[in-house]
């Protein structure tokens, strides 16, 4: 396969920068959220993104923006939503490019099983017939677990999300801008041709053995994470690692390189792996779990 040209790499970097600029017109603050989402959207055409945080920080705002850019379907999840209702809505929108799920962790177990089939296989079984879909994005929002009517989502379902993006608390100045500043207006739209281009470049980037060895060394650090001498992951991380490779490839290209550096993965550890931990093994609060991943991030950044 031919080496990716400098001009091509520059184009990937330009598309990424333009996407970040566009998101700055959509959402106040949340720099890390924008970085993770832009990278996830541009590296794959079927990324499944979970947006987590308290109410009022902009989860739905960002989800709505992406929904307006694609042929999309929005489902507002409630505790009494039935699998048949989900199936009928999806059956009528087989050409969707983006599925928008509001308050995902209000879903019942049977509805979650329906989504799990859809996420895992890109299809649904309806009355004995298979309903298949082309590549599509998933943007699901969920509020914090301490809000009434919110439930824990099983690991098997969470594991289908490529990234879980946690919104940060707003700073004093960001609150001032939201309360007293001009309302943000975004007249720009994402270009699907640009997305197909960046995705194809990620597909085309063949890593040299040195980059492969670096990624495997980073994955070994992640896989070795433990608490009370027990592995903290509920299962294999191969699925997470595969998406991590796509993110690392894309961020290398966006930074003007055709090879991987530790930073290309280290910046994304929490959103890639924190939702995949075994909650029955780790009996700790979120801050402690995040510390384990923060320590792993520091170890990865020291790799040379």
């Amino acid at each position: 396969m031919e080496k990716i040209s400098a001009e091509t790499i520059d184009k990937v970097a330009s598309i990424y920068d333009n996407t970040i600029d566009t998101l700055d017109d959509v959402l106040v603050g949340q720099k890390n959220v924008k970085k993770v989402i832009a990278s996830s959207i541009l590296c794959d055409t079927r990324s499944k993104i979970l947006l987590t945080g308290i109410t009022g920080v902009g989860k739905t705002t960002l989800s709505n923006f992406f929904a307006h850019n694609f042929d999309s379907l929005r489902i507002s999840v409630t505790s009494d939503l039935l699998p048949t209702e989900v199936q009928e809505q999806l059956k009528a929108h087989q050409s969707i490019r983006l599925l928008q799920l509001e308050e995902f962790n209000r879903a019942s177990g049977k509805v979650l099983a329906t989504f799990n089939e859809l996420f895992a296989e890109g299809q649904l079984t309806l009355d004995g017939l298979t309903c298949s879909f082309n590549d599509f994005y998933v943007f699901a929002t969920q509020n914090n677990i301490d809000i009434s009517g919110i439930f824990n989502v099983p690991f098997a379902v969470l594991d289908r999300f490529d990234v879980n993006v946690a919104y940060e608390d707003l700073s004093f100045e960001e609150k001032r801008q939201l309360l007293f500043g001009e309302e943000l207006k975004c007249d720009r739209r994402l270009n699907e041709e640009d997305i197909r281009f960046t995705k194809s470049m990620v597909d085309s980037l063949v890593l040299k053995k040195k980059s492969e060895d670096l990624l495997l060394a980073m994955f070994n650090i992640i896989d070795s994470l433990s608490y009370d001498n027990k592995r903290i992951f509920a299962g294999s991380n191969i699925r997470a690692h595969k998406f991590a490779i796509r993110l690392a490839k894309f961020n290398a290209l966006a930074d003007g390189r055709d090879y991987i550096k530790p930073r290309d993965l280290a910046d994304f550890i929490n959103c890639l792996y924190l939702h995949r931990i075994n909650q029955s093994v780790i009996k700790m609060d979120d801050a402690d779990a995040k510390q384990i991943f923060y320590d792993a991030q520091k170890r990865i950044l020291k790799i040379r």
Side-chain angles (χ1 to χ4, degrees):
M1 195 170 289
E2 293 184 6
K3 179 180 174 66
I4 297 177
S5 68
E7 292 77 11
T8 297
I9 293 176
D10 286 345
K11 183 176 179 180
V12 172
S14 177
I15 292 171
Y16 172 73
D17 290 341
N18 289 336
T19 303
I20 293 293
D21 288 344
T22 299
L23 296 183
D24 284 339
D25 290 339
V26 175
L27 187 67
V28 171
Q30 306 296 343
K31 180 179 179 180
N32 186 62
V33 169
K34 295 169 187 173
K35 177 179 180 178
V36 173
I37 292 177
S39 300
S40 299
I41 287 291
L42 294 172
C43 81
D44 204 333
T45 53
R46 53 186 178 183
S47 303
K48 296 171 182 62
I49 299 169
L50 185 62
L51 304 176
T52 305
I54 61 174
T55 58
V57 290
K59 301 188 301 296
T60 300
T61 297
L62 203 56
S63 177
N64 284 342
F65 166 75
F66 282 101
H68 292 154
N69 280 268
F70 301 98
D71 180 3
S72 62
L73 169 65
R74 175 173 176 164
I75 298 178
S76 294
V77 179
T78 59
S79 58
D80 58 352
L81 182 69
L82 299 174
T84 52
E85 295 175 308
V86 173
Q87 292 166 345
E88 288 303 318
Q89 290 186 69
L90 286 163
K91 184 179 179 181
H93 294 83
Q94 281 186 257
S95 63
I96 60 167
R97 282 282 293 112
L98 185 146
L99 176 60
Q100 188 181 18
L101 301 172
E102 288 294 301
E103 302 203 23
F104 183 72
N105 53 345
R106 290 189 185 274
S108 67
K110 290 183 178 180
V111 169
L112 288 175
T114 299
F115 286 132
N116 198 35
E117 179 190 0
L118 178 67
F119 296 169
E121 303 175 27
Q123 65 182 35
L124 285 176
T125 304
L126 305 172
D127 300 324
L129 300 175
T130 298
C131 180
S132 299
F133 300 84
N134 294 322
D135 287 356
F136 62 92
Y137 294 117
V138 175
F139 269 79
T141 65
Q142 66 174 14
N143 293 320
N144 290 347
I145 197 68
D146 56 351
I147 295 176
S148 177
I150 299 300
F151 307 100
N152 280 312
V153 178
F155 166 80
V157 180
L158 286 177
D159 188 46
R160 295 295 171 182
F161 284 97
D162 297 306
V163 289
N164 180 7
V165 189
Y167 273 62
E168 302 157 356
D169 292 336
L170 296 172
S171 70
F172 185 83
E173 287 304 319
E174 287 166 352
K175 289 178 182 177
R176 183 197 300 278
Q177 185 176 347
L178 280 173
L179 291 170
F180 306 112
E182 292 185 8
E183 186 174 344
L184 290 180
K185 245 184 177 180
C186 183
D187 298 323
R188 292 185 284 184
R189 294 177 62 86
L190 301 179
N191 186 317
E192 283 213 56
E193 186 176 331
D194 285 345
I195 293 173
R196 287 192 293 270
F197 173 78
T198 55
K199 188 261 185 186
S200 69
M201 290 304 100
V202 170
D203 292 337
S204 300
L205 180 57
V206 177
L207 298 177
K208 297 177 182 177
K209 185 176 183 299
K210 186 174 181 180
S211 288
E212 290 182 350
D213 290 345
L214 174 61
L215 283 165
L216 286 171
M218 292 190 282
F219 294 153
N220 284 338
I221 289 174
I222 294 164
D223 288 339
S224 68
L225 298 181
S226 63
Y227 177 68
D228 282 351
N229 297 316
K230 296 180 181 179
R231 286 168 56 91
I232 69 172
F233 290 105
S236 170
N237 291 296
I238 294 300
R239 184 180 296 112
H241 291 343
K242 284 185 175 181
F243 193 77
I245 292 170
R246 298 194 67 83
L247 276 179
K249 280 184 174 184
F250 174 79
N251 281 282
L253 293 170
D255 196 43
R257 294 176 278 107
D258 61 358
Y259 58 91
I260 303 299
K261 287 185 176 181
R263 174 67 67 186
D264 296 324
L265 175 59
D267 287 349
F268 298 91
I269 286 180
N270 277 6
C271 67
L272 279 164
Y273 298 101
L274 195 55
H275 61 296
R276 302 176 191 268
I277 60 178
N278 188 336
Q279 296 293 344
S280 66
V281 171
I282 290 194
K283 301 297 183 182
M284 59 169 82
D285 59 29
D286 287 343
D288 291 331
K290 289 177 182 176
Q291 184 62 46
I292 287 179
F293 284 88
Y294 178 67
D295 292 341
Q297 183 183 56
K298 288 194 294 184
R299 289 172 59 194
I300 285 174
L301 290 172
K302 289 179 181 178
I303 297 177
R304 291 291 181 264

